[in-house]
Amino acid sequence: QVQLVESGGGLVQAGGSLTLSCAASGSISNINTMAWYRRGPGKQRELVAAITTDGATNYADSVKGRFTISRDNDKNTVYLQMNSLKFEDTAVYYCALAPSGGYAWDYWGQGTQVTVSS
């Protein structure tokens, strides 16, 4: 069993920055993919960014150049550095883990709220 625990959400003014963290615990394979998803008010859940164990990344067009995903494989932790935040970034952000790599998300965190005031 794998558990994902997110932290770092909060309230920030537009133009500000936040860093989210997600720590994974349990039986985790050496090759996996971790990602951040978000669900804004009245919106569908969308992929924000993903990163493999060898550091390959993928970003949604809406966050390219503003958000950076990174990970510490020794700590099984993934981070999302969010800069130049916009009102439309307001959402619940979820951490996800694909234990065999790829984008088959078997595990999800409980979510952390990010609110950007305009």
Side-chain angles (χ1 to χ4, degrees):
Q1 189 67 20
V2 174
Q3 289 188 326
L4 304 176
V5 179
E6 302 108 331
S7 61
L11 174 65
V12 64
Q13 288 188 331
S17 299
L18 277 177
T19 300
L20 305 182
S21 300
C22 171
S25 61
S27 180
I28 302 168
S29 63
N30 290 331
I31 298 175
N32 59 71
T33 307
M34 297 187 77
W36 289 96
Y37 276 77
R38 68 185 180 187
R39 187 191 300 270
K43 298 180 182 179
Q44 292 187 332
R45 185 177 63 192
E46 63 173 347
L47 176 66
V48 176
I51 185 168
T52 65
T53 41
D54 60 5
T57 57
N58 183 32
Y59 293 93
D61 288 342
S62 60
V63 306
K64 284 180 180 176
R66 300 189 298 121
F67 290 11
T68 302
I69 190 170
S70 61
R71 64 186 292 165
D72 184 332
N73 290 332
D74 291 337
K75 296 181 179 179
N76 288 319
T77 299
V78 63
Y79 305 95
L80 186 67
Q81 173 68 44
M82 305 184 292
N83 298 326
S84 302
L85 282 161
K86 303 177 181 180
F87 176 74
E88 50 265 38
D89 294 319
T90 296
V92 178
Y93 285 71
Y94 298 90
C95 177
L97 173 70
S100 300
Y103 283 63
W105 311 112
D106 288 346
Y107 301 101
W108 294 85
Q110 80 286 355
T112 185
Q113 176 70 46
V114 172
T115 302
V116 183
S117 61
S118 58

